[in-house]
Amino acid sequence: MQNSKKLNKEISLISRYAGLKYSKYVLLVLLALIYFPMRATPAYIFLAAVFAPLFLGLAASISENQHDTEEFALPYTAGKYNFTITRYKNEKYSYLINCFLLLLWQADINLHNIYTVPLKTVPAFIIIVYTLVRIITGTFIKYKIKYGFTNLNL
Protein backbone atom coordinates (compact mmCIF):
# COMPACT_ATOMS: atom_id res chain seq x y z
CA MET A 1 0.00 0.00 0.00
CA GLN A 2 2.82 2.38 0.85
CA ASN A 3 4.46 1.74 -2.51
CA SER A 4 1.30 2.55 -4.49
CA LYS A 5 0.93 5.87 -2.65
CA LYS A 6 4.52 6.74 -3.50
CA LEU A 7 3.94 5.83 -7.17
CA ASN A 8 0.76 7.91 -7.35
CA LYS A 9 2.50 10.87 -5.71
CA GLU A 10 5.41 10.65 -8.13
CA ILE A 11 3.09 10.38 -11.15
CA SER A 12 1.20 13.40 -9.86
CA LEU A 13 4.40 15.43 -9.42
CA ILE A 14 5.67 14.50 -12.88
CA SER A 15 2.36 15.41 -14.50
CA ARG A 16 2.21 18.74 -12.65
CA TYR A 17 5.75 19.52 -13.78
CA ALA A 18 4.89 18.71 -17.39
CA GLY A 19 1.76 20.86 -17.11
CA LEU A 20 3.85 23.75 -15.82
CA LYS A 21 6.32 23.38 -18.70
CA TYR A 22 3.63 23.27 -21.39
CA SER A 23 1.75 26.20 -19.89
CA LYS A 24 4.98 28.21 -19.87
CA TYR A 25 5.43 27.50 -23.59
CA VAL A 26 1.87 28.65 -24.29
CA LEU A 27 2.50 31.80 -22.22
CA LEU A 28 5.64 32.58 -24.21
CA VAL A 29 3.79 32.17 -27.52
CA LEU A 30 0.91 34.38 -26.35
CA LEU A 31 3.26 37.09 -25.10
CA ALA A 32 5.22 37.00 -28.36
CA LEU A 33 1.99 37.38 -30.36
CA ILE A 34 0.74 40.38 -28.41
CA TYR A 35 4.09 42.15 -28.29
CA PHE A 36 3.38 44.32 -31.33
CA PRO A 37 0.07 45.88 -30.23
CA MET A 38 1.07 46.27 -26.58
CA ARG A 39 4.86 46.83 -26.75
CA ALA A 40 7.07 46.81 -23.64
CA THR A 41 5.17 45.10 -20.85
CA PRO A 42 4.71 41.71 -22.59
CA ALA A 43 8.43 41.71 -23.36
CA TYR A 44 9.30 42.15 -19.68
CA ILE A 45 6.94 39.36 -18.64
CA PHE A 46 8.36 37.20 -21.45
CA LEU A 47 11.87 37.73 -20.11
CA ALA A 48 10.72 36.99 -16.55
CA ALA A 49 9.06 33.75 -17.74
CA VAL A 50 12.25 32.65 -19.47
CA PHE A 51 14.80 33.65 -16.85
CA ALA A 52 12.97 33.10 -13.52
CA PRO A 53 13.42 29.29 -13.53
CA LEU A 54 17.06 29.73 -14.51
CA PHE A 55 17.75 32.15 -11.66
CA LEU A 56 15.84 29.99 -9.19
CA GLY A 57 17.84 26.96 -10.35
CA LEU A 58 21.08 28.89 -9.94
CA ALA A 59 20.07 29.93 -6.42
CA ALA A 60 19.18 26.32 -5.58
CA SER A 61 22.50 25.04 -6.91
CA ILE A 62 24.41 27.60 -4.84
CA SER A 63 22.51 26.64 -1.70
CA GLU A 64 24.37 24.10 0.42
CA ASN A 65 21.39 22.15 1.75
CA GLN A 66 19.39 21.86 -1.51
CA HIS A 67 20.19 18.65 -3.36
CA ASP A 68 18.22 16.12 -5.39
CA THR A 69 19.02 13.04 -3.36
CA GLU A 70 15.54 11.57 -3.61
CA GLU A 71 15.28 8.20 -5.30
CA PHE A 72 12.56 7.92 -7.91
CA ALA A 73 10.25 4.95 -8.03
CA LEU A 74 9.77 5.67 -11.75
CA PRO A 75 13.23 6.72 -13.00
CA TYR A 76 12.40 6.12 -16.68
CA THR A 77 9.29 8.30 -16.54
CA ALA A 78 11.11 11.02 -14.58
CA GLY A 79 13.90 10.96 -17.16
CA LYS A 80 11.45 11.07 -20.04
CA TYR A 81 9.93 14.32 -18.73
CA ASN A 82 13.27 15.68 -17.42
CA PHE A 83 11.81 15.77 -13.92
CA THR A 84 13.65 16.57 -10.72
CA ILE A 85 12.24 18.02 -7.53
CA THR A 86 14.36 21.17 -7.92
CA ARG A 87 13.14 21.76 -11.47
CA TYR A 88 9.56 21.23 -10.36
CA LYS A 89 9.95 23.79 -7.56
CA ASN A 90 11.62 26.26 -9.93
CA GLU A 91 8.78 25.97 -12.44
CA LYS A 92 6.15 26.22 -9.70
CA TYR A 93 7.62 29.42 -8.28
CA SER A 94 8.13 30.80 -11.77
CA TYR A 95 4.45 30.14 -12.46
CA LEU A 96 3.50 32.15 -9.37
CA ILE A 97 5.82 35.00 -10.36
CA ASN A 98 4.39 35.10 -13.88
CA CYS A 99 0.80 35.13 -12.61
CA PHE A 100 1.68 37.94 -10.21
CA LEU A 101 3.26 39.98 -13.02
CA LEU A 102 0.22 39.41 -15.24
CA LEU A 103 -2.07 40.52 -12.41
CA LEU A 104 0.02 43.67 -11.92
CA TRP A 105 -0.20 44.36 -15.63
CA GLN A 106 -3.99 43.94 -15.55
CA ALA A 107 -4.24 46.30 -12.56
CA ASP A 108 -2.06 48.87 -14.33
CA ILE A 109 -4.23 48.74 -17.44
CA ASN A 110 -7.39 49.14 -15.37
CA LEU A 111 -6.01 52.03 -13.32
CA HIS A 112 -4.59 54.09 -16.16
CA ASN A 113 -7.08 53.34 -18.99
CA ILE A 114 -4.25 52.96 -21.49
CA TYR A 115 -5.99 50.71 -24.00
CA THR A 116 -9.45 50.28 -25.45
CA VAL A 117 -11.78 47.47 -24.44
CA PRO A 118 -10.43 44.55 -26.56
CA LEU A 119 -6.84 45.12 -25.43
CA LYS A 120 -7.87 45.82 -21.83
CA THR A 121 -8.79 42.20 -21.27
CA VAL A 122 -5.61 40.66 -22.70
CA PRO A 123 -3.79 40.04 -19.37
CA ALA A 124 -6.87 38.43 -17.83
CA PHE A 125 -7.30 36.25 -20.92
CA ILE A 126 -3.64 35.21 -20.73
CA ILE A 127 -3.97 34.27 -17.04
CA ILE A 128 -7.05 32.17 -17.80
CA VAL A 129 -5.40 30.37 -20.73
CA TYR A 130 -2.15 29.93 -18.79
CA THR A 131 -3.97 28.29 -15.87
CA LEU A 132 -6.27 26.16 -18.02
CA VAL A 133 -3.37 24.80 -20.07
CA ARG A 134 -1.54 23.92 -16.86
CA ILE A 135 -4.55 22.05 -15.46
CA ILE A 136 -5.58 20.30 -18.68
CA THR A 137 -2.12 19.18 -19.75
CA GLY A 138 -1.24 18.05 -16.21
CA THR A 139 -4.39 15.94 -16.06
CA PHE A 140 -3.87 14.58 -19.56
CA ILE A 141 -0.27 13.59 -18.88
CA LYS A 142 -1.22 11.95 -15.58
CA TYR A 143 -3.71 9.71 -17.36
CA LYS A 144 -1.28 9.15 -20.21
CA ILE A 145 1.35 7.87 -17.78
CA LYS A 146 -1.14 5.62 -15.99
CA TYR A 147 -2.52 4.34 -19.31
CA GLY A 148 1.03 3.58 -20.47
CA PHE A 149 1.70 1.53 -17.36
CA THR A 150 -1.53 -0.43 -17.59
CA ASN A 151 -0.85 -1.28 -21.25
CA LEU A 152 2.90 -1.76 -20.70
CA ASN A 153 3.77 1.08 -23.08
CA LEU A 154 6.63 2.46 -21.05
Side-chain angles (χ1 to χ4, degrees), residues 3-75:
N3 198 18
S4 67
K5 286 183 181 182
K6 184 177 180 181
L7 286 174
N8 283 333
K9 181 180 178 185
E10 193 167 316
I11 289 171
S12 180
L13 285 174
I14 291 170
S15 64
R16 281 190 238 155
Y17 174 72
L20 285 167
K21 292 290 284 187
Y22 289 125
S23 67
K24 182 174 84 168
Y25 298 146
V26 168
L27 174 70
L28 294 176
V29 168
L30 289 174
L31 289 173
L33 290 175
I34 64 162
Y35 170 72
F36 293 109
M38 301 189 100
R39 295 292 173 203
T41 306
Y44 296 139
I45 298 172
F46 183 92
L47 291 174
V50 170
F51 290 116
L54 298 175
F55 289 135
L56 290 171
L58 180 64
S61 68
I62 292 172
S63 175
E64 295 282 329
N65 57 1
Q66 183 72 7
H67 296 290
D68 284 334
T69 58
E70 185 173 333
E71 290 289 325
F72 293 119
L74 305 169

Side-chain angles (χ1 to χ4, degrees), residues 48 52 103:
L103 284 172

Side-chain angles (χ1 to χ4, degrees), residues 117-146:
V117 173
L119 292 179
K120 241 182 178 179
T121 60
V122 167
F125 173 74
I126 290 174
I127 291 172
I128 291 169
V129 170
Y130 189 35
T131 304
L132 284 176
V133 167
R134 177 186 176 188
I135 293 169
I136 291 169
T137 57
T139 306
F140 175 75
I141 289 174
K142 183 177 186 177
Y143 288 113
K144 179 184 171 197
I145 292 170
K146 287 184 177 184

